[in-house]
Amino acid sequence: MEYFIGKSNKIKEIKDYAQKISNSPSPLLIYGETGTGKEVLVKYIHDIGNRRAKPLISQNCAAVPSNLLESILFGTVRGAFTEALDKKGIFEMANGGILYLDELNSMPIELQGKLLRVLEDGVVRRIGDLKEVKVDVRVIASTNVEPEICIEKGLLRRDLFYRLSVFYIQLPELKERKEDIIELCDYFINAFNRKFNKNILGISQEALEFFYNYDWPGNIRELRNVIEAIMNIKDEGFITPKDLPHYIKREHKGLEELVSEYEKRLIKEALALYNGNVSKAANFLKIPRQTLQYKIKKLGI
Ligand SMILES: Nc1ncnc2c1ncn2[C@@H]1O[C@H](COP(=O)(O)OP(=O)(O)OP(=O)(O)O)[C@@H](O)[C@H]1O
Ligand SMILES: [Mg+2]
């Protein structure tokens, strides 16, 4: 079983909520950027819920050509089209369990209409078939773009969104819950110690500081990959700054530096506005002329 790691308030809230909804048959919509743990969350819900003895089937809606997706979902009967065979769709295969539709916003709009009907009626019909089969499937769907934006862009049907978001979870980005980094590091270090048969003891405080300063655009997957890369090379001891890739060690700017950069920009703009006339620029910035003169020198403008 894969663990759903995190002790931050945001993750605690999500775990509590997941617990509460784990036994419900109603749909769930998850929104989270890439690598934030959508699939991990779905597995967690399957593991703790009353459908755990039944299948969890995952389908990435962007991974297959759109005309194929329909037959994957609903199945086919022999002769429905050339080469069509009698074949169950994943709705039927997931019967009693959970069907996870990842990157729902990549599903063609017409197919979203058919999906909505299946959710409303609880029956599927294989392509080319006349008879309907009753299915009991809990659908969990996810998007890696905010659902409202998907709807605006015409990538997600609003009625389907309402149907699916009976329960809704937004997974935070890693940079919004940096307090979980240390636990995630320990978890991945343990996992790769076992997998690679290594003996890494942990991560040094200095290395951790770099992790805290970094933004993690690839979220938890990126953190995991960084640790995996390090542990391919390193055998023992603590992970220290010299083990980290350069892009993570980029100099981090403090408040003072950020403020003076901003100040410099505002002064340059004011000077440009008055063709370099210091008195007028000072007047505009509401500071004495001498103060501006001093700042121009100090900031090297
Ligand atoms: N809370 C977590 N605890 C432990 N590992 C996690 C957690 N969240 C994510 N991971 C790890 O990060 C990686 C990415 O997670 P996952 O595949 O669930 O992300 P995702 O949101 O589905 O990403 P994508 O949108 O790219 O499909 C996985 O390898 C998983 O091991
Ligand atoms: Mg995923």
Side-chain angles (χ1 to χ4, degrees):
M1 169 175 163
E2 222 174 336
Y3 291 92
F4 188 49
I5 303 289
K7 290 203 181 83
S8 58
N9 285 336
K10 284 184 168 137
I11 290 301
K12 267 198 233 146
E13 259 173 44
I14 289 173
K15 278 182 145 172
D16 283 349
Y17 186 74
Q19 192 88 45
K20 287 196 186 106
I21 66 169
S22 63
N23 289 336
S24 166
S26 303
L28 160 69
L29 184 66
I30 302 170
Y31 156 54
E33 307 279 323
T34 180
T36 48
K38 297 183 288 297
E39 183 119 25
V40 174
L41 176 61
V42 173
K43 285 184 186 152
Y44 177 70
I45 290 172
H46 180 250
D47 277 342
I48 62 175
N50 55 5
R51 290 172 183 255
R52 75 182 81 86
K54 294 291 171 76
L56 164 64
I57 296 184
S58 299
Q59 178 63 47
N60 184 315
C61 301
V64 288
S66 50
N67 57 333
L68 241 174
L69 187 57
E70 184 172 358
S71 39
I72 290 174
L73 286 174
F74 306 128
T76 48
V77 289
R78 183 186 292 274
F81 48 85
T82 333
E83 290 158 35
L85 299 170
D86 283 321
K87 203 164 184 281
K88 267 189 192 177
I90 52 179
F91 255 100
E92 280 181 74
M93 292 190 231
N95 204 6
I98 295 177
L99 178 59
Y100 172 43
L101 299 173
D102 192 7
E103 294 195 54
L104 180 74
N105 45 304
S106 296
M107 180 185 284
I109 285 288
E110 326 81 69
L111 192 51
Q112 289 185 22
K114 290 181 187 171
L115 174 62
L116 179 61
R117 238 171 303 135
V118 172
L119 291 169
E120 300 282 4
D121 305 341
V123 293
V124 288
R125 200 160 67 194
R126 294 187 192 178
I127 299 172
D129 205 353
L130 291 174
K131 68 170 197 299
E132 290 174 331
V133 185
K134 206 170 152 27
V135 285
D136 163 31
V137 172
R138 181 180 200 187
V139 172
I140 301 182
S142 71
T143 64
N144 48 20
V145 178
E146 228 176 289
E148 253 330 300
I149 294 176
C150 297
I151 294 170
E152 266 167 40
K153 286 187 170 168
L155 300 172
L156 177 62
R157 284 178 62 131
R158 188 174 283 282
D159 47 8
L160 179 62
F161 165 72
Y162 289 137
R163 184 68 194 95
L164 288 173
S165 57
V166 173
F167 300 120
Y168 180 73
I169 293 177
Q170 176 176 349
L171 277 173
E173 290 175 72
L174 185 54
K175 64 168 176 253
E176 296 168 43
R177 54 177 185 110
K178 287 185 173 168
E179 61 269 43
D180 286 335
I181 288 180
I182 187 156
E183 200 193 347
L184 285 162
C185 283
D186 286 343
Y187 172 70
F188 292 134
I189 289 171
N190 273 327
F192 290 119
N193 268 337
R194 261 177 279 128
K195 186 168 174 187
F196 299 150
N197 198 19
K198 300 253 169 135
N199 190 24
I200 299 294
L201 299 171
I203 178 159
S204 77
Q205 188 59 34
E206 294 91 332
L208 203 55
E209 297 289 333
F210 283 111
F211 278 9
Y212 289 159
N213 289 332
Y214 182 64
D215 265 353
W216 301 105
N219 293 297
I220 300 160
R221 179 179 297 112
E222 185 181 6
L223 175 63
R224 181 200 160 111
N225 288 348
V226 165
I227 292 178
E228 180 172 359
I230 293 168
M231 289 182 61
N232 263 293
I233 297 167
K234 200 178 166 77
D235 297 323
E236 55 192 16
F238 282 87
I239 294 175
T240 65
K242 71 172 179 10
D243 300 314
L244 308 184
H246 283 293
Y247 64 90
I248 285 178
K249 287 192 280 190
R250 253 194 323 233
E251 195 48 59
H252 163 72
K253 290 173 185 162
L255 181 67
E256 229 163 287
E257 195 178 344
L258 291 169
V259 169
S260 67
E261 272 179 13
Y262 188 52
E263 195 176 25
K264 199 167 166 179
R265 203 180 83 212
L266 294 177
I267 292 173
K268 273 186 180 169
E269 280 169 10
L271 286 168
L273 212 53
Y274 295 101
N275 297 318
N277 185 313
V278 177
S279 300
K280 286 180 178 168
N283 196 36
F284 176 77
L285 293 166
K286 297 188 178 170
I287 53 172
R289 203 189 71 91
Q290 292 86 341
T291 307
L292 181 56
Q293 202 87 61
Y294 170 74
K295 283 181 185 292
I296 289 172
K297 243 197 187 146
K298 193 183 109 192
L299 297 168
I301 295 170

